[in-house]
């Protein structure tokens, strides 16, 4: 168990609303109940893998940034996409569902195509080439990012927390909010992988929690559960750049 420093705030720690003596209700995270905006007539086509997990919140944020957002549940849903988001959730369950729906190989082909892909929390695990702490029997991975990721690095659900991070490439001159829910962390990065953000950990080196490997972006936390769209805007800039390059080459 790797605990963050005690100065980090507990997840959704704020003034609780007491309904009964034993019951505490915390505020809902941002984007949870919002609607996906109507698709623009132009803009990058970005799919969100919608097998399980928090795909809706990503779709909301991407739609606000001018993307034509669609949910991906079947192989044909990958056609015509400029980018893809793999959300947080339960990575083993996501792998089982992708295998049953014959999506694993098409997802691997999408990653290999060079089109931008964003993986958050479970999505980061899904994109890693190597995972530590897998359930008995292992799990199916898409792979593609030259990383070793440890599941549940910070502990169980009760060890979830929120903090702010420095991420100069994504948001210069300010810190950005980050929500960690039973989060993984990155133990090893390949030579071409760039670390975009780290979190301090008691008793060891700061842990990488956001990385970029070419057009692949892996994040250990949940940017979609905040009101700050800087990570999605950074991802959309990769999508727009890749789409422009593809048009020029054509």
């Amino acid at each position: 168990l790797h605990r963050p420093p005690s100065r980090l705030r507990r997840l959704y720690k704020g003034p609780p609303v007491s309904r009964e003596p034993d019951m505490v209700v915390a505020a809902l995270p941002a984007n949870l109940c919002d609607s996906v905006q109507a698709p623009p007539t132009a803009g990058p086509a970005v799919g969100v893998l919608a097998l399980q997990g928090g795909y809706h919140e990503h779709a909301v944020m991407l739609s606000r940034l001018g993307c034509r957002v669609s949910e991906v549940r079947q192989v044909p849903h990958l056609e015509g996409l400029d980018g893809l988001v793999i959300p947080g959730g339960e990575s083993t369950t996501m792998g089982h569902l992708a295998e049953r729906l014959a999506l694993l190989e098409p997802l691997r082909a999408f990653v290999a195509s060079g089109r931008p892909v964003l993986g958050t929390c479970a999505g980061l695990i899904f994109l890693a080439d190597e995972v530590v702490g897998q359930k008995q029997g292992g799990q199916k991975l898409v792979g593609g990012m030259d990383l070793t990721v440890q599941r549940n690095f910070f502990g169980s659900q009760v060890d979830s927390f929120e903090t702010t991070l420095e991420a100069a490439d994504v948001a210069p001159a300010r810190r950005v909010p980050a929500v960690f829910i039973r989060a993984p962390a990155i133990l090893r990065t390949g030579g071409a992988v760039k670390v975009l953000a780290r979190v301090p950990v008691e008793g060891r080196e700061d842990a990488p929690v956001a990385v970029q490997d070419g057009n692949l972006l892996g994040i250990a936390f949940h940017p979609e559960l905040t009101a700050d769209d800087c990570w999605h805007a950074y991802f959309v800039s990769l999508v727009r750049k890749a789409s422009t390059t593809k048009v020029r080459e054509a």
Side-chain angles (χ1 to χ4, degrees):
L1 177 66
H2 302 272
R3 295 191 181 278
S6 56
R7 65 180 175 80
L8 301 183
R9 295 174 291 144
R10 276 286 174 212
L11 182 61
Y12 308 135
K13 181 180 179 183
V17 180
S18 297
R19 304 299 176 94
E20 298 177 8
D22 314 339
M23 181 179 174
V24 175
V25 179
L28 290 173
N31 307 320
L32 186 63
C33 301
D34 292 348
S35 299
V36 177
Q37 295 185 10
T41 54
V46 179
V48 183
L49 189 64
L51 303 181
Q52 186 265 347
Y55 51 86
H56 173 77
E57 294 79 11
H58 283 288
V60 169
M61 199 159 264
L62 290 165
S63 71
R64 291 173 180 165
L65 291 168
C67 296
R68 293 178 289 128
V69 186
S70 59
E71 295 179 356
V72 174
R73 293 188 176 89
Q74 302 286 341
V75 174
H77 298 166
L78 291 169
E79 296 177 5
L81 295 181
D82 300 310
L84 178 68
V85 174
I86 304 177
E90 213 296 313
S91 59
T92 305
T93 301
M94 206 177 292
H96 285 318
L97 290 171
E99 184 178 35
R100 292 192 61 157
L101 293 167
L103 267 167
L104 274 177
E105 289 306 323
L107 287 170
R108 288 167 181 156
F110 192 98
V111 169
S113 73
R115 284 172 286 182
V117 180
L118 165 64
T120 61
C121 198
L124 165 65
I125 295 169
F126 214 33
L127 286 174
D129 284 343
E130 184 180 11
V131 174
V132 173
Q134 298 184 33
K135 292 182 178 179
Q136 188 173 3
Q139 65 183 102
K140 302 294 182 181
L141 302 172
V142 171
M145 297 192 79
D146 188 8
L147 306 171
T148 300
V149 172
Q150 181 174 335
R151 289 168 48 107
N152 302 329
F153 179 88
F154 299 100
S156 63
Q157 198 82 9
V158 297
D159 297 299
S160 300
F161 63 96
E162 63 180 347
T163 185
T164 59
L165 304 172
E166 291 183 2
D169 292 282
V170 175
R174 69 181 179 91
R175 297 179 68 86
V176 297
V179 177
F180 290 79
I181 304 176
R182 206 177 67 177
I186 298 155
L187 304 182
R188 179 196 64 84
T189 59
V193 175
K194 182 177 184 179
V195 175
L196 300 176
R198 300 176 186 268
V199 70
V201 179
E202 290 178 353
R204 57 155 289 163
E205 293 182 356
D206 293 356
V209 291
V211 293
Q212 183 175 350
D213 187 358
N215 276 335
L216 305 179
L217 190 60
I219 300 175
F221 47 91
H222 289 268
E224 78 281 5
L225 296 183
T226 76
D228 194 322
D229 65 3
C230 65
W231 292 100
H232 289 80
Y234 185 78
F235 172 67
V236 171
S237 72
L238 297 179
V239 175
R240 292 183 186 278
K241 183 177 178 180
S243 300
T244 303
T245 302
K246 183 173 65 175
V247 169
R248 286 175 179 170
E249 290 175 350

